[in-house]
Amino acid sequence: MDIPSPDFSELPGGDEGQARDAVKEVMNWYNTQILAQRRSPVPDEARLADLTGARQEAAADLQALDDAGPEETSRIAALYAARLKALREKGSDAAS
């Protein structure tokens, strides 16, 4: 007998929680890349600046979720879910 997965979509804060998780995962990806650049024998300063700027943008979006309405929360969740997917695909391309 299959037990259905719980559906929390109707609970308040579901979108906000998903948005926060997505933004935090993207920030973690940036943190990992920044650390790798800083540890590199010859860091790529332009890439480091891009990564740092992107991480700052993500931090601002994470903070914006505190006052965001449902539409803005959904927009941020979708943006960061797509960004995370793209970053992960980019990472797997680099590994191959």
Side-chain angles (χ1 to χ4, degrees):
M1 178 176 151
D2 288 333
I3 299 173
S5 299
D7 180 8
F8 299 109
S9 62
E10 297 301 317
L11 294 176
D15 282 345
E16 183 179 346
Q18 290 174 348
R20 285 186 186 284
D21 288 348
V23 174
K24 286 178 182 178
E25 285 204 44
V26 168
M27 288 178 67
N28 286 337
W29 189 92
Y30 290 135
N31 288 336
T32 301
Q33 297 301 309
I34 289 167
L35 186 59
Q37 280 299 317
R38 288 182 178 158
R39 289 182 174 170
S40 173
V42 183
D44 181 338
E45 295 299 327
R47 176 152 169 74
L48 188 56
D50 288 345
L51 290 166
T52 302
R55 182 183 61 187
Q56 288 171 339
E57 179 185 326
D61 285 340
L62 184 62
Q63 189 171 11
L65 285 170
D66 290 341
D67 299 320
E71 285 185 23
E72 181 66 4
T73 299
S74 292
R75 184 194 70 78
I76 291 171
L79 173 69
Y80 280 88
R83 187 172 295 174
L84 184 60
K85 181 180 177 189
L87 292 172
R88 286 180 174 163
E89 287 173 357
K90 182 178 181 180
S92 66
D93 288 346
S96 39

